[in-house]
Amino acid sequence: MEFKNDLGKPWRYEDGEFTVTRTSMWSPPGCHPVGCGLKLYVKDGILDHVEGDENNPVTKGRLCPRCLALKDYVYNPSRVIYPMRRAREDRGKADKWYRVSWDEAFALIKEKRDYFRDTYGPECMAVLSGTGRSGGIMVSDMAQAVLGTPNACYTQSGYACYQPRSAACSHVLGAYYPEMDYAGGLEGTYDNPAFTVPEVIVVWGKEPLPSNGDGLWGHAVIDLMKRGAKLITVDPRVNWLSTRSAVQCRVRPGTDTALAMAWLNIIISEDLYDHDFVEKWCYGFDEFAERVKTMSPEQAAQICDIPVEDIYAAARLYGTAKPASIAWGLALDQNQNGNQAGHCLLALMAITGNIDVPGGQIIAEIDAAEGVEKIEVDLDNADAAADGTAAEDAARPTRRIGWDALPDELKAKTIGMKEYPLYVNNIRNAHADIMFDAVTTGKPYPIRMVWIQSTNLLAATCSAESDKWYEGLKDLEFNFATDLFMTPSVEGLCDLILPLASCAEKNDVSMTHYFGSPVTIGSINKAVDVGETKSDATIMIELGEYLGSTALHGMFKDADDFLDQRRANVAKMSWPELREIVNFQRGVNYRKYESGKLRPDRLPGFLTPTGRVELWSTAFANNGEDPLPYYSEPAFSPYGSPELFEKYPFILTTGARAYAFFHSEHRQIPVLRELNPDALIEINPKDALRLGVADGQWVEIENSYGKARFKAKLSPIVKPGVVMAQHGWWFPEQEGNAPNLYGTFQSNCNVLIPNHYNSKLGYGAPYKANICSVTPLQESYDTDMKLVDEKFGKLVCNG
């Protein structure tokens, strides 16, 4: 193939028989908002193929398999491209759907909304959402502005994705999220003279190559390795990066806090910390130092099941590197001790002087005028600042459309407000575990109408005890969804589905770390039309107007106007201006705490009550939590539940990322499914030999909450005594009718995850720190699955 140099091309241009649209990838299909650069080649109104956009300053033309398979996603024959309806009594019957118009769909929603609001109060409705899509971050607007209910809810137990880390950031750092600096926001990236390549990168509880977690371009780690950066990895599993690490800490799942406290103990006791930064910009250092003394490296080695020499080596390597950065991930969120783990990692960044320095951790600037006008932070109100919400608000580019307009008495009815007020007020969400109670028991009050938006919660994604969520939701009085496919959640629960546009069919904006990190802002540029699909923003505006939303009325002319006011404005330009350049690098002003650019009032320091990094957290103290970090043994573990562990003798971790899929998406895309055709569980060969499990044999995992079946992958990737089950599995090739629902409960690791194992503040859940038994299945089950394989094989051949 002849090499083409398309550097400097406009956002849309002609290339022979093709119209080429340069765009930034986000969602749907789901992904994290890295904004990978794509070129969409369109002929006669049809997307022909996808190439990487070499103009993108970060990804530079490199793409993952999911982006390359975008055409197969857009034109998949199982896509829903028109509004579809069925009777409530026909839920779970795949052949009962029929097409309706958008007007008919909106009229049905209005009829139901008006009835439930007027009969039971608006709080009886809920919008349930999930991760990875641009619409997911609009869940509060969908609930509070469109339907008028306070009950927006991300349904994952303890909202154990980003929020435990985010809460720690608010309550310790007073900023939204400090990401490792990989020069993405700087012109020329790594070659910009303002940037310094980190001497050490710590990859902690994150697998950035397949996941690009939270907006971090994972391959930037490899770019920096090529420029001399050394790696430290902290992960129970071996991955590609850990095999190239200077030090690898294979911790027992759920023990990250103990390891981090030991690192801090070493760095402080060996005088490796930055005295100047600690003296000027940290609060509570002496008390903090006393606390981490309680976790000796030798004690942490026993807890974490790693050699003590590795703890010393890792801590000293990080503590002496200038600069050093940490890429920290989901594993910190997915245990009850996640707030404390995040607290410790923020302390590591701070006491080593790596906050907001080149090659360290970068955080976003707060615009003074925007901060005052849009979030109305009252810095003179110590109680308001100490409740921990000021930094969360300041990190948001705009005020929420709906939450601020809700009357106080309605906010007070938000599910979980009584039990976890800090969680609810920080996130503007109902608490997931209390919502689970409402749906399954009717307490504290019944939920009667649900909008399932940007989630497939019945699959092993954004729920715990997924089977019980199903039993609770399937009998509600009215459920509808917005999605692109007939997922198990839609098939099993809904009476109406509104078809969503993919990223090739809409205008949108991709923002790394949801604007929380100064990297890039990219335009998502519409290239084709498919059926009658609409974007989340269009649905929000049109449905809101149809329902008579006072919060939305007259605010946005259309979706492009929404992008003007709510997304492109962060780049200080209009949506058309952003589209013209496709990618905007935000620039990085380092050491903003010195210049006042981390506070709306422009005083030096951090947006905390003390103006410093709070190693002793006043927000934690004022909300009933220990102001200093502490280690808690996982509730389900050899030491936390020894009697149960005798019956379920394996440590179960779940959800390691795969290149072929994003959570439960892409299972119906043949070219991607070929990469990972089966639901896998990784088992150490020594354990497999003892159990009599062969590579590729189906096994059943079980604990006191449920059971699921997976195909065994024998590998030393996991340590003896630990198994890792893939998440997000369902089987689009299987029977869609209830109770099978495309096999969504067959290989569903989340039926083994309990609700209500959260921190004191309501955060975190044991998705990555659980226990189970492993039982090999007989050949008869393998024979049954071959029938599925044969059906899938035809799908592949026909694809």
Side-chain angles (χ1 to χ4, degrees):
M1 178 181 294
E2 182 182 353
F3 174 75
K4 295 188 299 180
N5 183 355
D6 287 339
L7 287 172
K9 293 287 188 179
W11 75 274
R12 178 166 288 165
Y13 61 95
E14 301 299 318
D15 184 354
E17 58 186 348
F18 298 109
T19 298
V20 183
T21 301
R22 293 177 51 223
T23 188
S24 304
M25 177 65 183
W26 185 5
S27 65
C31 195
H32 286 117
V34 174
C36 299
L38 274 65
K39 295 185 293 188
L40 306 181
Y41 285 76
V42 174
K43 180 181 178 181
D44 299 328
I46 303 297
L47 177 61
D48 183 84
H49 65 280
V50 174
E51 293 182 7
D53 184 5
E54 58 270 59
N55 294 277
N56 186 287
V58 174
T59 59
K60 298 179 172 69
R62 296 169 287 184
L63 295 180
C64 74
R66 300 187 297 274
C67 283
L68 292 171
L70 181 60
K71 175 186 175 182
D72 303 75
Y73 185 97
V74 168
Y75 298 118
N76 190 278
S78 63
R79 263 198 76 180
V80 177
I81 58 175
Y82 302 102
M84 304 290 286
R85 182 185 175 182
R86 66 182 172 190
R88 179 176 181 272
E89 59 269 22
D90 289 331
R91 289 178 188 171
K93 298 177 182 179
D95 62 347
K96 296 297 184 179
W97 293 97
Y98 59 93
R99 180 177 169 181
V100 295
S101 69
W102 277 96
D103 283 344
E104 290 172 310
F106 282 2
L108 177 63
I109 294 169
K110 186 176 191 305
E111 173 193 334
K112 299 296 185 181
R113 194 285 307 264
D114 290 353
Y115 169 75
F116 290 120
R117 179 197 60 191
D118 297 343
T119 307
Y120 302 102
E123 68 273 12
C124 78
M125 300 177 285
V127 181
L128 309 183
S129 192
T131 189
R133 290 186 181 171
S134 60
I137 63 173
M138 298 168 65
V139 60
S140 295
D141 298 337
M142 301 295 196
Q144 295 145 15
V146 177
L147 294 186
T149 176
N151 285 317
C153 185
Y154 187 112
T155 53
Q156 188 180 46
S157 176
Y159 196 161
C161 177
Y162 213 53
Q163 291 308 320
R165 281 174 290 158
S166 179
C169 292
S170 297
H171 311 332
V172 175
L173 185 64
Y176 186 52
Y177 187 86
E179 182 55 271
M180 64 168 281
D181 183 12
Y182 58 98
L186 296 173
E187 185 178 355
T189 60
Y190 312 119
D191 297 323
N192 190 296
F195 179 68
T196 302
V197 173
E199 291 184 14
V200 168
I201 299 171
V202 181
V203 181
W204 197 312
K206 192 169 197 151
E207 195 170 3
L209 300 186
S211 72
N212 299 311
D214 310 316
L216 167 66
W217 168 240
H219 280 264
V221 177
I222 297 177
D223 292 343
L224 293 170
M225 288 167 60
K226 292 177 180 178
R227 287 162 172 79
K230 295 180 181 179
L231 291 188
I232 301 171
T233 51
V234 181
D235 199 306
R237 299 169 65 249
V238 177
N239 57 48
W240 190 91
L241 290 176
S242 64
T243 62
R244 278 105 177 135
S245 299
V247 185
Q248 178 189 2
C249 296
R250 296 183 69 185
V251 294
R252 175 165 63 91
T255 63
D256 303 85
T257 305
L259 181 64
M261 289 180 71
W263 281 29
L264 287 157
N265 188 355
I266 293 167
I267 289 170
I268 293 172
S269 64
E270 296 187 2
D271 200 23
L272 303 179
Y273 65 94
D274 186 323
H275 286 254
D276 185 64
F277 188 89
V278 166
E279 181 179 345
K280 291 180 179 178
W281 303 109
C282 292
Y283 175 78
F285 176 77
D286 292 340
E287 296 89 342
F288 186 87
E290 287 300 314
R291 175 59 62 87
V292 298
K293 278 184 183 178
T294 64
M295 183 61 69
S296 70
E298 289 72 22
Q299 182 184 0
Q302 290 184 326
I303 292 171
C304 301
D305 191 27
I306 59 176
V308 69
E309 296 81 10
D310 290 348
I311 298 178
Y312 278 103
R316 289 166 178 163
L317 183 58
Y318 176 75
T320 57
K322 297 293 181 185
S325 59
I326 299 177
W328 49 322
L330 184 72
L332 299 166
D333 299 330
Q334 298 202 329
N335 70 78
Q336 290 170 266
N337 210 199
N339 289 140
Q340 289 68 41
H343 189 164
C344 287
L345 264 68
L346 290 165
L348 281 168
M349 300 169 192
I351 71 168
T352 56
N354 283 304
I355 295 287
D356 214 24
V357 298
Q361 311 292 147
I362 52 172
I363 44 184
E365 178 178 331
I366 295 172
D367 184 273
E370 288 187 347
V372 173
E373 178 186 348
K374 295 178 181 176
I375 63 172
E376 299 172 353
V377 174
D378 183 2
L379 293 170
D380 295 324
N381 186 336
D383 290 336
D387 73 1
T389 60
E392 284 283 323
D393 287 341
R396 295 186 175 100
T398 57
R399 187 169 57 197
R400 296 278 177 162
I401 297 172
W403 179 261
D404 294 328
L406 294 177
D408 289 342
E409 59 270 23
L410 188 55
K411 290 181 186 177
K413 294 179 181 179
T414 307
I415 295 286
M417 180 68 88
K418 178 181 178 181
E419 296 84 354
Y420 300 115
L422 183 65
Y423 177 110
V424 173
N425 281 307
N426 256 4
I427 310 174
R428 277 71 165 162
N429 260 217
H431 190 271
D433 302 70
I434 311 298
M435 180 62 73
F436 172 81
D437 293 344
V439 166
T440 56
T441 71
K443 297 178 180 179
Y445 54 79
I447 297 296
R448 301 179 183 276
M449 171 176 163
V450 156
W451 176 358
I452 297 176
Q453 185 258 349
S454 294
T455 187
N456 179 14
L457 78 161
L458 295 189
T461 54
C462 286
S463 65
E465 300 181 85
S466 310
D467 50 340
K468 296 182 179 64
W469 273 100
Y470 170 60
E471 292 300 324
L473 288 167
K474 70 182 178 65
D475 294 326
L476 299 192
E477 295 168 61
F478 179 66
N479 299 324
F480 74 102
T482 44
D483 215 319
L484 295 87
F485 291 91
M486 200 65 69
T487 68
S489 302
V490 177
E491 194 69 81
L493 302 173
C494 292
D495 313 314
L496 175 72
I497 178 172
L498 307 179
L500 276 181
S502 76
C503 63
E505 303 152 40
K506 65 168 183 173
N507 293 329
D508 204 343
V509 173
S510 173
M511 55 276 201
T512 49
H513 295 85
Y514 315 102
F515 292 130
S517 186
V519 186
T520 60
I521 299 172
S523 64
I524 299 172
N525 298 322
K526 179 177 177 178
V528 295
D529 288 298
V530 176
E532 294 179 2
T533 64
K534 295 178 184 286
S535 70
D536 291 284
T538 297
I539 292 172
M540 179 187 72
I541 295 164
E542 292 183 357
L543 182 57
E545 290 285 353
Y546 196 98
L547 297 179
S549 166
T550 56
L552 285 170
H553 179 67
M555 182 172 284
F556 307 115
K557 292 180 292 186
D558 53 26
D560 286 359
D561 189 36
F562 168 82
L563 299 179
D564 251 346
Q565 295 188 46
R566 297 285 172 171
R567 295 195 171 176
N569 64 306
V570 178
K572 295 182 171 56
M573 60 181 68
S574 67
W575 156 247
E577 289 171 332
L578 178 62
R579 180 176 58 191
E580 285 295 323
I581 64 173
V582 185
N583 299 108
F584 172 73
Q585 290 179 284
R586 295 177 66 180
V588 182
N589 296 312
Y590 294 108
R591 297 180 178 86
K592 291 182 284 293
Y593 49 85
E594 295 178 344
S595 60
K597 293 181 179 179
L598 295 180
R599 298 175 61 101
D601 59 5
R602 281 304 183 257
L603 292 175
F606 295 84
L607 191 56
T608 61
T610 63
R612 301 181 177 216
V613 178
E614 295 199 344
L615 304 177
W616 193 99
S617 171
T618 56
F620 280 155
N622 288 352
N623 286 279
E625 180 58 282
D626 193 326
L628 296 168
Y630 57 89
Y631 170 68
S632 292
E633 178 66 23
F636 303 98
S637 73
Y639 311 108
S641 52
E643 292 182 2
L644 270 179
F645 193 70
E646 289 184 9
K647 185 176 182 181
Y648 307 113
F650 282 89
I651 297 171
L652 170 65
T653 185
T654 65
R657 300 301 184 243
Y659 285 95
F661 312 125
F662 185 83
H663 298 308
S664 72
E665 296 203 64
H666 302 102
R667 295 307 193 286
Q668 65 278 83
I669 310 302
V671 294
L672 295 175
R673 187 72 177 275
E674 283 184 280
L675 300 175
N676 195 156
D678 299 304
L680 300 177
I681 186 167
E682 296 169 353
I683 304 176
N684 188 277
K686 293 180 180 178
D687 290 326
L689 180 63
R690 177 170 53 84
L691 294 171
V693 173
D695 190 49
Q697 182 176 359
W698 286 88
V699 301
E700 184 172 82
I701 62 171
E702 181 178 6
N703 65 18
S704 53
Y705 291 92
K707 60 180 68 174
R709 294 173 170 182
F710 295 87
K711 180 170 279 191
K713 177 182 178 181
L714 275 55
S715 174
I717 283 174
V718 289
K719 299 167 70 170
V722 177
V723 293
M724 194 292 297
Q726 289 185 332
H727 77 302
W729 271 95
W730 59 292
F731 302 88
E733 67 276 10
Q734 287 192 23
E735 175 67 44
N737 291 331
N740 190 59
L741 298 177
Y742 307 107
T744 193
F745 300 118
Q746 172 186 297
S747 300
N748 191 321
C749 58
N750 281 8
V751 303
L752 285 79
I753 309 297
N755 287 282
H756 293 296
Y757 282 85
N758 317 122
S759 73
K760 291 179 184 178
L761 299 177
Y763 294 99
Y767 289 92
K768 293 189 180 296
N770 206 340
I771 57 175
C772 70
S773 60
V774 179
T775 304
L777 295 174
Q778 299 301 314
E779 190 64 27
S780 60
Y781 183 73
D782 197 52
T783 301
D784 292 340
M785 287 306 299
K786 284 180 181 177
L787 299 177
V788 174
D789 291 341
E790 289 172 5
K791 185 173 182 180
F792 172 64
K794 293 177 182 178
L795 178 65
V796 172
C797 292
N798 293 336

